[in-house]
Amino acid sequence: MNLSTNNEIDIVRASSTKINDIDFDNLVFGNIFTDHMLICDFKDGKWQKPTIKPYEPFLLDPSAKVFHYGQAIFEGMKAYKDNNDDVWLFRPDENFDRFNKSAKRMAMPEVPEEVFLGGLHEILKIEKDWVKKGKGNTLYIRPFMIATGTGVVAAPSSQYRFMIILSPAKAYYSGEVKVIIAEHYSRAANGGIGAAKAAGNYSAQFYPTKLANEQGFQQIIWTDDATHTKLEEAGTMNVFFRINDTLFTAPSSERILDGVTRKSIIALAEKEGIDIQVRSVLVWELVEAAKNGTLKEIFGAGTAAVINPIVGFSYKDEYFELPKLEDSVALKLKDKLTNIQYKLEEDTFGWTVKI
């Protein structure tokens, strides 16, 4: 191993690389990780010096509070390589801000910009060869923080670990996606942690999603916890509905994650002259639109999948197939967004950041 420093970060380089053993044409999302990871610990009331070191397991005490009280948050980001071999990030400031909003909601310490963004830039410089050229190829970035303090008293931890790991990726979902509208289970509740990107939000979805899978559906469109009449998110993504020529999406709230892709789609739609309304969409509106033929598209939006069209939905045991369109707004917006991310079109929004 080779030890070096940039004054702000200690760097321990791996003695060899596993990149030549990876089949980049047949990646399973989130299963392969790069040679290095970033670690920064919080203890004695302050953040310590970050370290970039070889990717490896690490030990935790069995009483670490992450195991018992679920103090764990994360972000999802991607790096892209353009045709000139330059590596780019997409709106990393939004992920940084949201990460610290999640930290605050979960009674965890906020991560300094020089650790989160500065550390991210440094590790991407080291792992730039893992970012492959070509539309569809990305390096998925997973910043996360866990409570590492010990003891089983139900109270916030006094110690935490912030990490960044990287995984080469292609498409997140493959094949057609059919969804079922939730009538009983909820993703989040008012006053809860739905707006935080907390690990517990996702584990709570696994069981109802398993039930949906058993019925032949890939995901759930979540509804509000109080009345189950408002459409909120699709699986792990924000969700959009196109009725006639108007695009609808729910407003962010205590229950709904303020997605970076969601915000970008709204801005792109407005620029493209697409009528878009940010308001609560009711289940009966969607069912009525499906029955009278005015429902044209439903699609999920998130970092991992970018935009994922939904081919049909079920509600109260009635299934509604969506029309197959040549003028899909979802695919048009996905193409526009990914062209900006891969630097194939001018970024007039100032969203992209060069490494």
Side-chain angles (χ1 to χ4, degrees):
M1 295 184 183
N2 180 29
L3 177 62
S4 61
T5 182
N6 71 350
N7 295 324
E8 299 296 331
I9 301 174
D10 288 332
I11 300 172
V12 182
R13 290 184 177 268
S15 56
S16 62
T17 179
K18 56 195 174 193
I19 193 170
N20 297 322
D21 300 325
I22 306 303
D23 182 358
F24 284 89
D25 293 325
N26 294 287
L27 295 168
V28 176
F29 185 88
N31 275 18
I32 302 294
F33 295 93
T34 64
D35 296 317
H36 298 87
M37 61 186 185
L38 180 140
I39 293 179
C40 188
D41 289 322
F42 180 90
K43 60 183 180 180
D44 300 325
K46 61 183 179 181
W47 287 99
Q48 309 299 302
K49 191 174 186 180
T51 299
I52 294 173
K53 59 184 294 187
Y55 186 96
E56 62 184 5
F58 59 91
L59 294 174
L60 280 179
D61 191 285
S63 72
K65 291 194 179 242
V66 64
F67 299 139
H68 302 273
Y69 302 112
Q71 277 187 295
I73 60 172
F74 68 95
E75 273 297 320
M77 309 167 67
K78 285 181 178 178
Y80 311 82
K81 184 170 281 185
D82 67 17
N83 290 329
N84 297 317
D85 285 326
D86 291 322
V87 176
W88 298 81
L89 292 170
F90 182 73
R91 308 190 75 175
D93 55 321
E94 293 282 349
N95 295 99
F96 169 66
D97 289 342
R98 188 173 65 184
F99 189 87
N100 278 335
K101 288 178 183 176
S102 297
K104 185 175 181 180
R105 178 61 183 85
M106 297 296 290
M108 304 170 83
E110 295 182 32
V111 177
E113 183 175 353
E114 60 269 22
V115 174
F116 188 108
L117 294 177
L120 178 56
H121 278 250
E122 287 301 318
I123 195 170
L124 285 175
K125 289 176 185 176
I126 293 171
E127 306 286 50
K128 63 182 183 299
D129 290 343
W130 287 82
V131 193
K132 298 302 182 182
K133 284 194 295 190
K135 205 169 180 182
N137 294 318
T138 63
L139 186 64
Y140 184 76
I141 301 163
R142 173 54 61 92
F144 65 100
M145 178 165 50
I146 59 173
T148 54
T150 58
V152 293
V153 174
S157 177
S158 60
Q159 297 182 22
Y160 297 87
R161 173 163 286 186
F162 170 75
M163 297 186 65
I164 299 175
I165 56 177
L166 310 170
S167 177
K170 283 187 175 290
Y172 186 59
Y173 293 110
S174 59
E176 293 187 340
V177 175
K178 298 178 181 179
V179 299
I180 187 168
I181 294 177
E183 298 177 51
H184 172 70
Y185 293 103
S186 299
R187 177 189 171 273
N190 282 332
I193 60 171
K197 206 162 175 66
N201 287 339
Y202 295 80
S203 60
Q205 295 182 36
F206 293 160
Y207 177 68
T209 302
K210 176 178 177 287
L211 298 180
N213 294 161
E214 291 170 353
Q215 297 179 63
F217 299 93
Q218 285 71 46
Q219 287 292 349
I220 297 172
I221 292 185
W222 302 103
T223 50
D224 69 290
D225 63 299
T227 67
H228 293 290
T229 60
K230 298 175 182 178
L231 299 160
E232 303 209 317
E233 293 198 1
T236 58
M237 301 180 287
N238 294 118
V239 64
F240 289 77
F241 310 93
R242 178 187 166 199
I243 300 175
N244 284 321
D245 291 324
T246 300
L247 206 57
F248 297 90
T249 193
S252 57
S253 69
E254 287 183 312
R255 300 185 306 274
I256 299 175
L257 192 70
D258 189 12
V260 178
T261 305
R262 170 189 172 274
K263 287 193 278 196
S264 304
I265 290 170
I266 293 170
L268 275 173
E270 291 172 344
K271 184 182 178 185
E272 293 296 312
I274 298 169
D275 181 21
I276 184 162
Q277 295 186 25
V278 179
R279 69 162 176 84
S280 293
V281 179
L282 303 178
V283 176
W284 72 262
E285 291 182 90
L286 192 72
V287 172
E288 185 176 281
K291 288 180 175 178
N292 65 29
T294 57
L295 178 62
K296 305 300 182 185
E297 296 180 79
I298 306 174
F299 58 91
T303 297
V306 187
I307 287 178
N308 203 91
I310 292 167
V311 301
F313 73 93
S314 175
Y315 181 65
K316 292 190 180 297
D317 298 322
E318 187 173 5
Y319 181 71
F320 301 91
E321 190 83 20
L322 271 70
K324 291 179 169 55
L325 304 175
E326 292 184 4
D327 61 337
S328 167
V329 169
L331 296 182
K332 177 183 178 181
L333 290 172
K334 182 175 183 177
D335 193 53
K336 287 281 184 185
L337 184 57
T338 53
N339 279 349
I340 291 172
Q341 291 169 334
Y342 287 93
K343 307 303 286 184
L344 298 172
E345 289 186 21
E346 183 184 2
D347 174 17
T348 58
F349 297 95
W351 286 339
T352 50
V353 176
K354 189 176 179 180
I355 295 298

